[in-house]
Amino acid sequence: MKNALKPLYAILAPLAFSVISVSPASLHGEEADLKATRSEFQKIPIWVMGFSPVQRDTGLSEDIETQVASVLKADLKRSQIFSIAELPPDKGDFSDNKCMSLSSNLAPHFQKVTVSTWGRIGVGGTSNGVHGLILDACAFDPGQRDVLTGKRYFSLKTTETLTRLMAHRWADELVYRYTGEQGIARTKIAFVGQKENGRELFVMDYDGYDPQQVTADGYLNLMPTWAPDRKSLIYTAYRDRKQLIMKRELATGREEILVSPASLNITATFAPDGKSIAYSAAQDGNSDLYQIELDSRSVKQLTSHNSADLSPSWSPDGRHLAFTSDRGGRPQIYIMDSEGLNVRRLTYDGDYNAAPAWSPKGDWIVYVCRVPSEGFKLCRISPNGEQRKQITNGQSIDDSPSWAPNGRHIVFSSIRRGESQLYIITSEGAGLEKISLAGEHLSSPSWSPFQP
C-alpha cells in the first residue's frame, strides 16, 4: 500500500519495541552461530520459505504473512549479499516459541541454497503474559553443521509500520551474520518535496515507505544532510530573499540557525566527527567554501578564488574535501586538504562534472557528469583519478547522488518520466529501482548513517 506524505510528530523517537535473542542452545540443543565466508562478489543463495500466523485474529492485514516475506525478500535482494532462490514457500515449524529443525523431506531444497529462513507474525503473548506484536524469525544453514538460530521481535504496539520494521531488522541481522557488516534496511532517506507553494523536507524508510514531513512553514527548504548521529538534519532555508543554514532536531523539532542569512548559503555538510560543517557562501560575487565549528561558531574560509566553489564533500577520515569549482572555465571536481591547502583537479573527462559525494569507504567519489547524447548522468571516480566509471545511462536528468552507509548503493533524483522522483542504484550501476511512492517534484535525497 502506498503511503501518503504525512506530518511528522516524532520522526525518530524510540519505539516501544524490543528484540529477544534466542540462543542456539535453546533452539537446537547446542551452542552454535551462523557464520560464512564468501568472496566479495559471490552472492549467498537464500530460501525465504514463508511466514505463518501467530494467530489469525490480529487486527493486521489478512495477508500480513505474505507482506512480511515480500519485505524480507526485497531487503535481502537489495543488500547485494544474497540471491533469492525460487523455491516453494514452505513454512517451518515451531514449538513453545522456538524454531524447530526442519523436515528431512526438504533436504533436496537445502542442497540448492546456503541458508533458509522462515518465521511467524501476529499478536500473541510472551512468557510473562504480556500481549503484543510478535515476529519469530528463524534461519537454518546446513553447511555450518546444521546451524539453527532465531530471534523474537516484540512490540506493545500493533501496526503494519512496526511489522515492516521487524522484517527490516531480521534482514539486517542476516546481513551482519554473513558479512560482519551492518545492513541498510533500517536506514532512512531525507529529501525535498513540493507541498502546496513551498518546498519542504521529508524523511522516509530506505525503501520509500512511511514518508513523514519534517518542515511545514511554506517556504523553500532545500538540500538536507544528516548529522553523523542521525538525530538532526542541516539544510538551506530561504527567508526574506536570503539563504541561511538551519539545523533541525528530528525528535523534538527544535531549530537553530547555524549560518546567518546571506545572498548565498548552500550545500552544507557535516564533518565525519559531527563537530563542524563545511558549506558554500557568498555575500556579493563568487562563492567560496567555509567551515564553521559548531561549539564555538568560529568560521574559517577554506577557498578564496575568483570562481564558484560549491558542494563540499568530506572524505571519511575528515582529512580531505572534494568540491565543485569552475576555476578551470567549466564545472569540475577538485580535491583539497581539509585545511584548504593542496588543491588539485580530479576530473578531466567532459565539460561538466559537479555535486561530488565521497563514499563511506573512501574508495570512490560519485558525481553528476554530462555525457554527450545522454545528458546528466552519474559517474564515479577513484580519489587518485585513475579509475572512472559511468553509473547511470539513458535519456534522463540524474542529480544529487548520496551514498548509502554501506558504500554499495546510491540514492539520487532523476527526471525519467516527466517529473523528478527518487531512485537507488548500486555503485556498479545495477539494480536501478524507483523508491519514491508518493509526492511531486522530489529532489536532493540524503541517505542516513547507520542506526547508532
Side-chain angles (χ1 to χ4, degrees):
M1 180 182 296
K2 295 184 178 181
N3 296 351
L5 296 173
K6 57 186 181 183
L8 172 75
Y9 60 91
I11 194 162
L12 293 180
L15 298 169
F17 192 95
S18 63
V19 181
I20 303 173
S21 296
V22 185
S23 69
S26 66
L27 295 169
H28 197 55
E30 63 180 30
E31 283 202 19
D33 196 6
L34 282 175
K35 291 183 180 178
T37 301
R38 295 291 186 274
S39 70
E40 183 177 358
F41 302 104
Q42 182 180 356
K43 294 183 180 180
I44 300 168
I46 187 168
W47 179 18
V48 180
M49 299 173 61
F51 286 78
S52 305
V54 172
Q55 62 183 47
R56 280 294 177 189
D57 186 17
T58 65
L60 296 170
S61 170
E62 291 183 359
D63 65 343
I64 192 64
E65 299 92 10
T66 302
Q67 291 182 30
V68 169
S70 177
V71 171
L72 181 59
K73 286 181 179 179
D75 287 345
L76 295 173
K77 181 179 179 181
R78 289 191 196 99
S79 74
Q80 296 294 301
I81 304 301
F82 296 95
S83 61
I84 309 301
E86 296 298 330
L87 292 171
D90 291 82
K91 296 180 174 63
D93 296 325
F94 297 86
S95 175
D96 297 328
N97 297 330
K98 298 175 184 177
C99 304
M100 297 291 292
S101 296
L102 299 177
S103 172
S104 59
N105 62 10
L106 298 176
H109 293 327
F110 296 151
Q111 296 174 3
K112 302 175 183 177
V113 297
T114 298
V115 60
S116 304
T117 182
W118 71 97
R120 61 180 179 177
I121 180 72
V123 174
T126 64
S127 58
N128 59 5
V130 178
H131 275 68
L133 180 64
I134 291 174
L135 171 63
D136 286 324
C138 306
F140 176 61
D141 186 340
Q144 296 291 311
R145 293 191 305 170
D146 293 344
V147 172
L148 181 66
T149 191
K151 281 201 172 183
R152 162 164 285 191
Y153 301 94
F154 175 80
S155 173
L156 292 172
K157 296 181 179 180
T158 305
T159 67
E160 292 191 18
T161 297
L162 285 173
T163 302
R164 294 182 64 87
L165 178 56
M166 290 176 176
H168 291 328
R169 293 194 72 144
W170 180 237
D172 284 348
E173 176 69 21
L174 291 171
V175 169
Y176 179 76
R177 285 175 176 266
Y178 276 85
T179 67
E181 298 178 353
Q182 293 190 64
I184 61 171
R186 288 176 293 151
T187 56
K188 301 281 186 177
I189 292 175
F191 63 98
V192 175
Q194 180 173 322
K195 193 73 172 180
E196 297 176 350
N197 294 325
R199 291 286 194 276
E200 306 290 0
L201 304 187
F202 297 83
V203 169
M204 65 183 179
D205 293 350
Y206 93 117
D207 56 2
Y209 280 81
D210 200 26
Q212 299 188 33
Q213 189 170 337
V214 176
T215 60
D217 51 29
Y219 292 101
L220 293 179
N221 302 287
L222 305 174
M223 293 172 269
T225 302
W226 291 87
D229 63 6
R230 214 168 109 157
K231 294 181 179 179
S232 60
L233 294 172
I234 54 173
Y235 62 98
T236 293
Y238 283 72
R239 304 289 187 271
D240 299 323
R241 299 185 179 181
K242 294 287 186 178
Q243 301 175 18
L244 56 157
I245 294 175
M246 303 282 293
K247 176 183 176 183
R248 184 182 182 96
E249 294 180 358
L250 293 174
T252 65
R254 178 177 174 271
E255 287 186 329
E256 62 176 316
I257 298 173
L258 299 182
V259 180
S260 300
S263 60
L264 183 73
N265 279 315
I266 58 174
T267 58
T269 181
F270 275 98
D273 62 7
K275 296 180 180 180
S276 65
I277 64 171
Y279 62 98
S280 179
Q283 288 291 345
D284 299 295
N286 64 287
S287 59
D288 285 301
L289 300 185
Y290 295 81
Q291 181 180 3
I292 182 172
E293 299 292 334
L294 297 182
D295 286 341
S296 65
R297 298 301 173 92
S298 62
V299 177
K300 178 181 179 180
Q301 187 170 345
L302 299 177
T303 65
S304 180
H305 199 279
N306 58 350
S307 62
D309 297 337
L310 302 163
S311 304
S313 177
W314 298 86
S315 62
D317 60 10
R319 298 173 58 187
H320 301 89
L321 283 163
F323 64 99
T324 305
S325 179
D326 64 356
R327 61 185 63 194
R330 297 282 188 174
Q332 298 290 341
I333 309 300
Y334 291 77
I335 291 180
M336 65 181 178
D337 297 344
S338 59
E339 297 296 319
L341 304 175
N342 300 318
V343 178
R344 65 179 177 87
R345 181 171 166 177
L346 182 62
T347 56
Y348 288 89
D349 294 327
D351 62 357
Y352 183 97
N353 298 292
W358 216 309
S359 76
K361 296 181 178 180
D363 51 351
W364 294 105
I365 295 172
V366 65
Y367 59 98
V368 177
C369 54
R370 181 154 55 194
V371 178
S373 76
E374 289 190 73
F376 294 99
K377 305 288 103 186
L378 300 187
C379 291
R380 70 178 192 187
I381 190 170
S382 58
N384 60 12
E386 294 180 358
Q387 300 179 67
R388 180 184 179 275
K389 176 183 175 65
Q390 183 178 333
I391 298 174
T392 60
N393 297 277
Q395 296 296 323
S396 60
I397 300 176
D398 303 331
D399 195 16
S400 304
S402 175
W403 288 92
N406 65 356
R408 295 176 182 269
H409 303 76
I410 298 164
V411 64
F412 63 102
S413 61
S414 180
I415 301 177
R416 291 174 175 260
R417 300 172 184 173
E419 65 176 8
S420 184
Q421 293 290 321
L422 304 183
Y423 295 78
I424 60 174
I425 195 168
T426 71
S427 61
E428 295 294 328
L432 178 66
E433 179 184 2
K434 179 177 176 289
I435 58 169
S436 49
L437 302 175
E440 298 178 347
H441 306 298
L442 310 184
S443 63
S444 299
S446 177
W447 211 315
S448 78
F450 287 120
Q451 191 152 3

